[in-house]
Amino acid sequence: IDSEGTGPIEGLPVITAKGHAWDAGVVTKKATVKAAGAKTFTCSVCKETKTEAIAKNNFTVKAKKVTLKFAKLSRKKQTIKRAKAITVKNAKGKVTYKLAKKNKSFTVAKNGKITVKKGLKKGTYKVKIKVTAAGTEEYAPLTKTVTVKIVVK
């Protein structure tokens, strides 16, 4: 630009800014519940890079108390739907469930259904269940263990 600010200086080439053309980015660090992740983008025009944060994973799992009737349980096994026993929020990727350790009185399906064997006596039982979120390209896989209280009355 000339001294008057009106146009280019005669004899010098005019350079036009092309702007950035950012790619889709590459995850350079997966986010966990303890730390944010990072994704790096590269400009196809000038090869400049920029990094953006991936928010921390706020995956939460909470167990509930479930009450079953002894009279029904004495006749046949009972199935508890996952939503009645466990609340899962902000899971990244497919969620699966399994018993934390073997138990003769209970089984847990991959979809979270809990089966209580027929003939279980009255009382309060604690069932430890591992809940795993498989993760995604941006989020690391996570496993949390919760204890579901099952009360037989």
Side-chain angles (χ1 to χ4, degrees), residues 9 12 15 20 35 43 45 57 61 66 72 78 82 86 88 108 111 116 131-132 135 149:
I9 299 174
L12 291 178
I15 300 171
H20 290 293
C43 174
V45 176
N57 191 340
V61 181
V66 179
K72 278 188 176 182
Q78 300 293 304
R82 193 262 325 144
I86 301 169
V88 177
V108 176
N111 65 4
V116 182
V131 182
T132 302
K149 271 188 182 179

Side-chain angles (χ1 to χ4, degrees), residues 14-118:
V14 175
I15 300 171
T16 307
K18 293 181 181 178
H20 290 293
W22 300 108
D23 66 8
V26 176
V27 175
T28 50
K29 180 182 176 192
K30 288 189 176 196
T32 66
V33 290
K34 293 183 180 180
K39 191 170 190 175
T40 302
F41 299 85
T42 303
C43 174
S44 61
V45 176
C46 68
K47 305 302 180 210
E48 183 179 334
T49 61
K50 70 176 182 176
T51 302
E52 290 182 1
I54 300 169
K56 284 189 340 183
N57 191 340
N58 53 357
F59 173 55
T60 59
V61 181
K62 291 187 180 173
K64 300 177 185 177
K65 180 174 131 181
V66 179
T67 303
L68 299 176
K69 293 187 178 181
F70 175 73
K72 278 188 176 182
L73 202 51
S74 64
R75 291 191 303 270
K76 67 177 191 169
K77 68 183 179 183
Q78 300 293 304
T79 301
I80 303 166
K81 291 181 179 179
R82 193 262 325 144
K84 270 191 129 184
I86 301 169
T87 301
V88 177
K89 291 183 180 175
N90 303 311
K92 309 294 187 213
K94 184 178 179 182
V95 179
T96 56
Y97 306 81
K98 72 177 190 175
L99 283 173
K101 61 182 180 179
K102 288 193 175 202
N103 189 318
K104 293 179 183 177
S105 300
F106 305 95
T107 58
V108 176
K110 283 187 177 185
N111 65 4
K113 284 185 182 177
I114 302 168
T115 302
V116 182
K117 303 280 180 172
K118 172 183 165 182

